[in-house]
């Protein structure tokens, strides 16, 4: 049984549109018609079609021009060129441009049947190809972490290795880079995977509440403690505790946690008898804890206890190769959630998104795609759909002055390398002395 296809007939002659419409309907295909190339593109923007039958001679936009647009913007849509003025040259042009077939009017019914069978077969092959491609794409994903860049491959390689031990892990990186996802992936690959994974944002809790949540309390230990309560360190039993923003906890809490990590015992608040606990600690921070230790704001002994294994997640601006992959992932996610078919971004929009600095990293990119999908009235997002990110930042002006270009380039590299002079000099292909001279010459300063 032939696959039912979604077909659009594009022809300025009404009689051709109506006759093909009736013929395809006889075989239960879903059929639409368009009297011009522009009308066809408008319909394509709203819903996908499997195949277009396109007349080669139409006013304002020829069939070959429409074929070119369709293959650029909707490469999965098959196009069959139809014409009453066939020539070898136009047939060759059409096939070179990606047409699936080239038919001369008037059509015979058996011709149409053969063409549709051929296209259905091609689509079946395309489906199998996508399945295999999807399997290969799994190699670019790791437990919901998406990336094919060299920087992320390093992280993917480290996660299974780190998961094999029970050593404390410190994950560093800017906000929105996916530190919690990495922590979950380590837990999922470890022998603790069947026990709980509990995540706590230390920056969102006052010390007294954090202490009660972690250690639990006895009835009457403080006002409001009307019954015994187990803390997360007790409940987690065999699992993984993820402390996000650990740089925010108080000195007292650092001492308490250090004791727990060394003794594997806790005391509930108001209790005198210690309780054995079994958990693995994974922490994260966006603070420079070495600097915090050097300046006396973070305990050195606690820092070394939580920093046995260190993973640094790169910001999105240092893994721009992953942006197209992430865009496709978020388009699928939010098209599904909103039941809207938004599955493309134009090349211009893609370039803009690749150029944007993404200070909020992957989280900001996801929010941008979600917003654009929710507000979109077509299946393709263009640069205007991301205007809310700021036109000036989306379309950075290119200075014509060579000195200004050099200044901007040096400043950008310094920011990407977090003002590490050695790394920035290496990235620029110059030595440190030369870089210091350029910083002085251009009056560059590290942002506060």
């Amino acid at each position: 049984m032939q696959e039912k296809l979604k077909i659009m007939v594009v022809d300025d002659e009404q009689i051709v549109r109506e006759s093909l419409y009736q013929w395809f309907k006889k075989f239960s295909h879903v059929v639409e018609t368009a009297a011009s190339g522009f009308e066809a593109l408008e319909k394509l923007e709203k819903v996908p079609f499997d195949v277009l039958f396109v007349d080669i001679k139409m006013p304002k936009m020829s069939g070959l021009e429409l074929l070119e647009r369709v293959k650029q913007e909707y490469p999965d849509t098959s196009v069959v060129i139809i014409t009453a003025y066939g020539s070898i040259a136009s047939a060759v042009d059409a096939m070179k441009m990606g047409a699936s077939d080239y038919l001369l009017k008037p059509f015979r019914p058996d011709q149409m049947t053969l063409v549709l069978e051929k296209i259905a077969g091609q689509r079946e092959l395309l489906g199998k190809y996508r399945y295999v491609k999807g399997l290969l794409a799994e190699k670019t994903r790791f437990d919901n972490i998406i990336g094919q860049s060299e920087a992320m491959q390093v992280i993917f390689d480290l996660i299974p290795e780190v998961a094999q031990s029970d050593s404390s892990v410190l994950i560093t990186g800017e906000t929105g880079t996916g530190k919690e996802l990495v922590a979950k992936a380590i837990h999922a690959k470890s022998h603790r995977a069947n026990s709980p994974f509990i995540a706590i944002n230390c920056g969102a809790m006052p010390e007294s509440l954090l202490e009660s949540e972690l250690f639990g309390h006895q009835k009457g230990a403080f006002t409001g403690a009307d019954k015994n309560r187990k803390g997360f360190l007790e409940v987690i039993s065999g699992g993984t505790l993820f402390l996000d923003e650990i740089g925010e906890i108080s000195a007292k809490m650092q001492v308490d946690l250090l004791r727990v990590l060394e003794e594997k015992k806790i005391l509930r608040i108001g209790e005198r008898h210690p309780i054995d606990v079994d958990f693995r600690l994974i922490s994260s921070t966006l603070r420079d804890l070495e600097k915090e230790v050097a300046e006396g704001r973070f305990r050195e002994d606690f820092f070394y206890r939580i920093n046995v294994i260190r993973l640094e997640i790169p910001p999105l601006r240092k893994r721009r190769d992953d942006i197209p992959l992430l865009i496709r992932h978020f388009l699928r996610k939010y098209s599904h959630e909103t039941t809207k078919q938004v599955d493309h971004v134009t090349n211009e929009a893609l370039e803009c998104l690749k150029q944007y600095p993404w200070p909020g990293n992957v989280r900001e990119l996801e929010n941008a795609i979600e917003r654009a999908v929710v507000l979109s009235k077509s299946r393709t997002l263009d640069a205007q759909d991301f205007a809310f990110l700021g036109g000036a930042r989306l379309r950075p002006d290119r200075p014509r002055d060579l000195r200004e270009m050099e200044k901007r380039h040096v400043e950008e590299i310094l920011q990407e390398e977090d003002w590490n002079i050695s790394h920035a000099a290496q990235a620029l292909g110059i030595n440190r002395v030369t870089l210091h001279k350029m910083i002085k010459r251009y009056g560059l300063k590290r942002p506060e």
Side-chain angles (χ1 to χ4, degrees), residues 57-302:
K57 285 202 173 197
M58 292 187 291
K60 296 183 180 178
M61 180 186 290
S62 74
L64 292 182
E65 289 174 307
L66 177 59
L67 167 64
E68 186 177 20
R69 290 279 300 273
V70 171
K71 299 315 287 184
Q72 283 179 353
E73 297 176 23
Y74 311 101
D76 294 343
T77 300
S78 302
V79 178
V80 177
I81 294 295
I82 55 179
T83 180
Y85 308 95
S87 69
I88 293 176
S90 64
V92 170
D93 286 345
M95 301 309 285
K96 279 185 176 177
M97 293 167 68
S100 296
D101 221 321
Y102 183 94
L103 298 179
L104 292 175
K105 300 176 184 176
F107 314 112
R108 299 194 313 273
D110 59 328
Q111 273 183 303
M112 288 296 167
T113 303
L114 286 173
V115 166
L116 290 184
E117 283 179 351
K118 176 183 164 187
I119 289 173
Q122 289 171 341
R123 298 190 68 78
E124 185 180 358
L125 284 175
L126 180 63
K128 290 178 179 175
Y129 165 74
R130 283 180 170 164
Y131 174 73
V132 174
K133 190 178 176 184
L135 292 179
L136 294 173
E138 287 301 314
K139 293 184 177 180
T140 66
R141 299 184 57 162
F142 197 106
D143 292 342
N144 293 323
I145 310 167
I146 295 171
Q148 60 187 5
S149 62
E150 188 175 340
M152 290 310 295
Q153 292 305 316
V154 171
I155 299 296
F156 292 166
D157 290 341
L158 283 172
I159 287 173
E161 298 294 327
V162 171
Q164 297 306 310
S165 80
D166 267 347
S167 302
S168 299
V169 180
L170 180 62
I171 304 173
T172 58
E174 297 177 6
T175 185
T177 50
K179 296 188 286 295
E180 184 169 339
L181 286 178
V182 172
K184 286 180 177 175
I186 293 171
H187 171 73
K189 298 292 178 188
S190 74
H191 67 91
R192 298 178 179 274
N194 293 325
S195 298
F197 173 92
I198 294 177
I200 296 177
N201 185 340
C202 301
M205 286 190 187
E207 180 184 301
S208 58
L209 179 58
L210 180 60
E211 184 181 24
S212 176
E213 291 289 343
L214 288 176
F215 298 99
H217 57 255
Q218 290 296 100
K219 180 180 178 180
F222 50 82
T223 303
D226 55 358
K227 60 183 178 182
N228 294 341
R229 184 176 183 278
K230 292 181 178 179
F232 286 141
L233 290 173
E234 197 176 343
V235 171
I236 203 168
S237 185
T240 301
L241 177 67
F242 174 60
L243 293 181
D244 192 15
E245 301 304 337
I246 199 167
E248 305 300 320
I249 67 173
S250 66
K252 177 182 181 303
M253 186 59 68
Q254 292 173 40
V255 173
D256 292 344
L257 281 172
L258 178 62
R259 185 179 300 117
V260 173
L261 289 170
E262 291 179 343
E263 299 177 0
K264 297 295 182 187
K265 295 179 186 294
I266 63 166
L267 278 175
R268 290 182 191 167
I269 301 172
E271 174 61 86
R272 294 185 176 179
H273 303 291
I275 301 167
D276 292 334
V277 291
D278 174 25
F279 70 97
R280 183 190 199 177
L281 179 64
I282 301 179
S283 315
S284 78
T285 183
L286 50 75
R287 284 177 178 257
D288 182 348
L289 288 187
E290 283 95 340
K291 184 179 178 184
E292 298 288 308
V293 169
E295 296 178 358
R297 293 193 294 270
F298 203 82
R299 288 184 65 96
E300 186 175 23
D301 48 3
F302 183 60

